[in-house]
Amino acid sequence: MAIVSLQLENFRTYHRDSFEFSEGVSIIVGPNASGKTNLLEAILLLCEGQSFRAKDHELISHEKDYARIEGLVGIDKRIVLIEHDGIERSTKTHQINTQNLKRLPPAKRVPVVLFEPEILQLFQGGPEKRREYMDSLISRTTPGFTTTMRQYKRVLSQRNALLKRQQTPKQEEFFAWNVRLSELGGQIATARNQLIDNLNSSINEEYQNIASKNNNVSLEYLSKISSPSYNTHMLHALEKVFQTDRERGYTSVGPHRDDLQVLFDGKDAKQVASRGEMRSLVLALKILELKIVEAAAQKQPILLLDDVFSELDGARRKALTESIQQYQTFITTTDADLIVKYFIGACEIIPTNRTA
């Protein structure tokens, strides 16, 4: 399902602008602050219902009280209307043909995969980025996982609040919280491990295609809690670390503390892999993400590449190009010549001349 056209009104740097797209590759070119990423953001909102970088009211042009996005996606007319009262409240509504929706349910979403430069640092930063990466992909492909995550965070917050009480809490007061947190934690860890098993089944092949190297690459879920029977082991762990948790005022074990590790030939990639090798790995993961999302949705996702080509060398650009040709793709860049040569006769140029 491809996006055919897009009309923007009071959205970010766009006041009244219209675009038409082909089913292939669209290269969005313009100087910095000309609205390239804003255009990708509008596509994501129209298809999946949310921004990847801002709250709703921040999407409305300065001194305006609403923003409107309208587009034709396949044969469906879609509209997103964001309104703000000028003080603190904002509302967002969706319309698909004649159906009005306050929220865009999963069944009504058009799958989109976003690739931005920050993802290239996935394995360089802290573990929260990697947890977010796993949970975001699972949420888009596993029904009910978003609800499980929301429930887990709520119970975790309640347990932490109890740990911080001025009156010294007793361990027996925590039993019910520990049981529920362990049940939800086990579901989350199981889903993450299933994702990693899925990725590990193809990561070597994808990595070697991109990097032209024969390293044995694998992913490993890192946790203080052993699997299987994660929930049982988590319950025991929570009871074991109770005194430490009470002193610190927070829960120190569980999926909110777990991590994702990359191994190159059985060794920690952070210790042995070059920057280029890590970038090849992230490219391989994003290509696998496309395939996983496509399999779950039973339709091809739309691919958004935000200024990624400038971060890659020629070999990796070529490998990425070969992997995405069957998808409708939107690529932002300040230099079209950098990209056009990889899509000769198979792309269109969309200039942006707006300044923020």
Side-chain angles (χ1 to χ4, degrees):
M1 184 179 294
I3 179 167
V4 179
S5 62
L6 187 68
Q7 294 83 45
L8 304 177
E9 185 176 355
N10 300 335
F11 180 81
R12 293 283 200 180
T13 52
Y14 294 93
H15 300 299
R16 291 181 183 273
D17 296 276
S18 300
F19 302 89
E20 293 186 356
F21 307 116
S22 70
E23 294 187 0
V25 175
S26 296
I27 300 175
I28 303 166
V29 60
N32 291 329
S34 63
K36 301 186 300 297
T37 301
N38 296 346
L39 193 53
L40 299 189
E41 190 174 29
I43 292 170
L44 188 62
L45 270 158
L46 195 69
C47 293
E48 292 203 333
Q50 59 186 2
S51 166
F52 63 93
R53 58 176 182 159
K55 297 179 180 179
D56 290 342
H57 72 271
E58 297 172 339
L59 305 174
I60 301 173
S61 298
H62 183 59
E63 295 186 345
K64 303 294 183 179
D65 56 10
Y66 75 94
R68 188 176 187 275
I69 306 168
E70 179 180 329
L72 186 63
V73 184
I75 61 173
D76 293 328
K77 178 181 177 181
R78 289 175 172 251
I79 297 173
V80 180
L81 179 64
I82 303 169
E83 298 176 287
H84 193 257
D85 64 6
I87 304 174
E88 58 181 16
R89 293 192 59 189
S90 61
T91 60
K92 181 172 63 182
T93 55
H94 303 267
Q95 181 179 325
I96 302 177
N97 298 321
T98 59
Q99 184 181 16
N100 294 311
L101 302 163
K102 290 185 177 180
R103 292 184 179 86
L104 202 59
K108 298 293 185 180
R109 296 172 191 169
V110 177
V112 176
V113 171
L114 171 69
F115 193 172
E116 55 178 332
E118 187 176 338
I119 194 67
L120 293 170
Q121 307 301 319
L122 179 64
F123 294 100
Q124 306 302 319
E128 63 278 356
K129 288 185 177 181
R130 292 181 286 280
R131 290 192 293 267
E132 182 181 348
Y133 166 76
M134 289 187 286
D135 295 340
S136 174
L137 181 49
I138 298 169
S139 293
R140 286 182 289 143
T141 55
T142 305
F145 184 79
T146 300
T147 299
T148 301
M149 281 298 305
R150 184 167 57 249
Q151 292 173 342
Y152 180 86
K153 290 177 181 178
R154 182 168 62 247
V155 176
L156 178 65
S157 176
Q158 291 166 334
R159 187 180 190 273
N160 287 344
L162 189 58
L163 286 167
K164 293 172 182 166
R165 278 196 328 188
Q166 291 184 351
Q167 178 184 355
T168 304
K170 298 178 181 179
Q171 187 162 359
E172 54 266 25
E173 297 178 61
F174 285 80
F175 182 72
W177 298 112
N178 292 350
V179 169
R180 183 56 177 156
L181 197 65
S182 298
E183 290 173 348
L184 295 167
Q187 294 174 36
I188 294 167
T190 297
R192 289 176 178 175
N193 276 299
Q194 289 173 345
L195 171 65
I196 291 172
D197 288 344
N198 192 358
L199 292 171
N200 274 334
S201 67
S202 304
I203 190 67
N204 252 337
E205 179 182 356
E206 291 294 347
Y207 174 81
Q208 290 172 7
N209 286 341
I210 292 171
S212 299
K213 292 186 177 183
N214 294 320
N215 300 88
N216 182 18
V217 181
S218 62
L219 305 173
E220 183 178 359
Y221 190 60
L222 296 183
S223 178
K224 294 179 181 179
I225 302 168
S226 57
S227 297
S229 300
Y230 187 101
N231 57 327
T232 301
H233 289 108
M234 181 175 171
L235 180 58
H236 292 158
L238 288 171
E239 294 171 348
K240 184 178 180 179
V241 300
F242 172 72
Q243 294 298 335
T244 301
D245 285 357
R246 188 174 64 176
E247 293 169 5
R248 295 176 176 175
Y250 62 84
T251 304
S252 59
V253 295
H256 63 288
R257 308 288 291 181
D258 294 347
D259 198 358
L260 174 64
Q261 182 183 42
V262 184
L263 299 176
F264 270 70
D265 299 322
K267 298 179 182 179
D268 185 353
K270 287 185 178 179
Q271 306 299 323
V272 300
S274 68
R275 182 178 179 182
E277 287 170 335
M278 293 300 280
R279 291 194 167 196
S280 292
L281 172 77
V282 174
L283 280 176
L285 285 174
K286 294 304 286 189
I287 291 168
L288 288 177
E289 181 180 334
L290 273 171
K291 296 178 180 180
I292 290 171
V293 170
E294 182 174 2
Q298 293 295 297
K299 62 182 73 171
Q300 282 194 337
I302 295 169
L303 179 60
L304 309 180
L305 302 178
D306 189 16
D307 197 27
V308 171
F309 270 70
S310 62
E311 299 285 335
L312 305 174
D313 60 25
R316 292 179 178 86
R317 290 173 190 161
K318 185 174 185 295
L320 178 60
T321 300
E322 292 173 350
S323 300
I324 67 175
Q325 288 184 354
Q326 70 268 39
Y327 300 98
Q328 186 182 31
T329 302
F330 297 85
I331 306 172
T332 67
T333 182
T334 57
D335 183 2
D337 292 338
L338 193 70
I339 301 173
V340 170
K341 60 184 177 182
Y342 296 100
F343 298 98
I344 297 298
C347 67
E348 65 173 343
I349 305 296
I350 299 175
T352 59
N353 299 314
R354 304 155 186 85
T355 56

